[in-house]
Amino acid sequence: EHPMPLPSSVHQTENLLFSVLVQLILMIGAARIMNTIFRRLGQPGVIGEIVAGLMLGPSLFGHFFPSESVFLFGLKASAPITVISQIGLVLLMFQIGADFEFQHLRKQTVRRAIGLITAASIGVPLALGFAIGHWSAPILAPQIDRLTYSLFCAVALAITAVPILGRILREYGLTHTQIGVTAITAAALNDVIGWVLLAAVTTYAARAFSGLNMGLQISGILALSAACLIVLRPLIGRLVDHFAAEDEALTPNLMAIVFCLIFALAICTYRLGIFSIFGGFMAGILFHQRPKFVAAWHKQVGQMVLVFFLPVFFTYTGLRTNLLGLNEPQDWLWLTIILIGAIAGKVVPVYFASRLTGSSHYQATILGVLMNTRALMELIVLNIGYDLGVLPQKTFTMLVIMAVVTTLMTGPLLKLLLPKIGHNPPKGLEA
């Protein structure tokens, strides 16, 4: 007797599951291998995971084995992979928020430094990015509205990668230091402003910009922040005390509540137009005064996020990125201009802002290097611009290279500079 054929819906589900499982094996395996290699080279493991994503995409594997790449990954990332990657990013932001250290913020000098660094790290790159966009538009984007293109270039240069910066701070033992707190706080403020600007530029590109909508968005962000501080923070304290296990492990009920809270705040920030990842960050901040909870979370959930979810996000982005599209001398000239503008536009103003608030030469330099980290937050912005048709392929490629280079710089420079302030990086960087 022949076996009964599967219904078509079940067959389609099994085919989709097969495809996703194969992709996950490749993504997680490649990311872990490159993570290990890069840590042995003295780089943060996260940089290796980014490189793994780019290697699996059209920049390498897809270029030399196009048919195999389409067979394995399709012409574009599947919906399940996209969703998994975004969930991973939200959960990573929760962990970064939960690790946030506020004790240094009680110092007036630190608060003043954060304000100046935030203003310098977003104001100068915005101006440089707009200028580069305005000058390059006739050559690189002749068919695109010059103002819209220039605005996207401005936002692209202004972004700092909070998730990657958070992981680098952890790997170099800087999470609880004054420099680390200053950098991650300034970067978070930088990115909130950057995302609001991105939302404004996006609506302008769609010819739907409204000053009223912009005001409502900012009001909504402030209202949500107030609700978290006044309502959710004390409520969470009671929940953690009520559901905590004797051995400080997370009980299933508490874990379920926390997941629901993370995703609910992610929905709120998504609806406010600053993207769901900041909801995860806000949720994490609500737990930062609960060190036992945070330690249990890292033990029970954190490794799953770092080993499973994050590599999927890196590879998803790599599949959309092609670094081999620059084939003319003028392309490399513009790439050089973008790199110089991006690096100088972050490091130099942050250095002087830090010096004005009392940082030493090396402390100010380290802060500039940290704020220069762009990585995949940058790639998110670029993919939005590319999908909207505002960034042409070559500019997209140049900005992707800029994002990777500015992130690759961070590890070696930190290893060189941190001993100058008496902070020796851990010998075995965290996975």
Side-chain angles (χ1 to χ4, degrees):
E1 295 182 4
H2 294 289
M4 183 178 294
L6 292 173
S8 59
S9 60
V10 176
H11 185 69
Q12 290 174 359
T13 301
E14 285 292 303
N15 282 341
L16 178 60
L17 177 61
F18 170 79
S19 175
V20 169
L21 291 177
V22 170
Q23 292 175 36
L24 289 176
I25 290 170
L26 292 171
M27 293 173 175
I28 296 169
R32 183 51 28 185
I33 291 169
M34 295 304 293
N35 177 295
T36 303
I37 290 173
F38 270 67
R39 282 190 292 118
R40 289 180 179 175
L41 294 173
Q43 280 273 15
V46 64
I47 306 299
E49 295 176 11
I50 294 172
V51 172
L54 294 173
M55 289 171 62
L56 287 176
S59 303
L60 186 66
F61 180 72
H63 176 74
F64 291 105
F65 306 99
S67 58
E68 289 82 357
S69 177
V70 172
F71 173 75
L72 290 170
F73 297 107
L75 293 173
K76 62 179 181 177
S78 63
I81 293 296
T82 305
V83 171
I84 291 171
S85 72
Q86 295 304 308
I87 290 174
L89 200 55
V90 170
L91 293 176
L92 175 68
M93 293 297 285
F94 172 79
Q95 293 180 189
I96 292 171
D99 282 333
F100 208 81
E101 188 57 65
F102 281 94
Q103 63 181 0
H104 296 294
L105 300 184
R106 298 190 183 101
K107 302 176 184 177
Q108 184 177 356
T109 54
V110 176
R111 291 198 300 271
R112 181 166 171 254
I114 289 169
L116 279 175
I117 289 169
T118 301
S121 69
I122 199 166
V124 175
L126 274 173
L128 282 174
F130 186 87
I132 291 172
H134 185 75
W135 293 330
S136 66
I139 300 167
L140 297 177
Q143 306 300 321
I144 297 171
D145 178 72
R146 192 169 188 170
L147 178 57
T148 307
Y149 169 77
S150 301
L151 288 171
F152 256 96
C153 289
V155 174
L157 261 66
I159 290 291
T160 294
V162 172
I164 304 303
L165 179 59
R167 285 196 68 179
I168 289 173
L169 292 177
R170 285 186 61 208
E171 291 180 347
Y172 281 88
L174 294 169
T175 304
H176 302 293
T177 65
Q178 183 169 315
I179 282 180
V181 172
T182 302
I184 196 70
T185 308
L189 293 172
N190 178 301
D191 273 4
V192 169
I193 296 169
W195 290 123
V196 171
L197 291 173
L198 177 64
V201 174
T202 302
T203 53
Y204 174 80
R207 299 295 184 267
F209 179 79
S210 164
L212 175 62
N213 290 339
M214 187 76 168
L216 290 173
Q217 184 184 44
I218 294 172
S219 300
I221 294 168
L222 294 175
L224 179 62
S225 301
C228 287
L229 184 67
I230 298 169
V231 179
L232 288 180
R233 189 167 68 171
L235 179 61
I236 283 168
R238 290 194 289 271
L239 284 172
V240 171
D241 291 338
H242 179 75
F243 286 104
E246 292 182 5
D247 59 356
E248 302 300 338
L250 302 181
T251 63
N253 286 344
L254 180 57
M255 196 178 295
I257 291 170
V258 173
F259 275 121
C260 290
L261 175 66
I262 295 169
F263 298 147
L265 285 177
I267 291 171
C268 291
T269 53
Y270 162 74
R271 295 297 296 172
L272 288 170
I274 57 169
F275 299 87
S276 56
I277 56 174
F278 285 103
F281 183 73
M282 293 176 72
I285 288 177
L286 296 175
F287 288 87
H288 85 278
Q289 292 180 321
R290 296 281 172 169
K292 292 181 179 178
F293 168 89
V294 175
W297 177 274
H298 281 300
K299 184 177 180 181
Q300 293 178 244
V301 183
Q303 288 300 312
M304 180 71 171
V305 174
L306 297 182
V307 176
F308 173 75
F309 283 104
L310 264 295
V312 176
F313 176 71
F314 296 141
T315 311
Y316 160 76
T317 307
L319 291 173
R320 308 190 70 193
T321 305
N322 186 359
L323 305 181
L324 303 176
L326 307 182
N327 49 24
E328 297 179 17
Q330 70 172 7
D331 297 337
W332 292 97
L333 174 62
W334 280 111
L335 172 60
T336 303
I337 292 171
I338 287 172
L339 282 171
I340 293 173
I343 295 167
K346 282 284 187 181
V347 176
V348 174
V350 170
Y351 174 85
F352 283 109
S354 302
R355 292 288 279 162
L356 284 173
T357 55
S359 295
S360 69
H361 166 70
Y362 287 114
Q363 288 173 331
T365 305
I366 290 168
L367 279 168
V369 169
L370 289 171
M371 293 299 291
N372 189 45
T373 305
R374 288 178 176 86
L376 294 179
M377 295 294 281
E378 177 77 15
L379 298 185
I380 295 173
V381 175
L382 300 184
N383 279 307
I384 291 171
Y386 187 70
D387 288 341
L388 286 172
V390 174
L391 293 179
Q393 179 65 58
K394 286 189 176 182
T395 306
F396 176 80
T397 301
M398 292 173 191
L399 292 171
V400 167
I401 293 173
M402 179 271 288
V404 174
V405 169
T406 53
T407 309
L408 283 171
M409 293 169 55
T410 307
L413 289 175
L414 286 180
K415 291 190 72 175
L416 179 68
L417 293 168
L418 286 175
K420 304 289 187 182
I421 62 169
H423 182 96
N424 293 312
K427 291 183 179 179
L429 292 178
E430 287 185 26

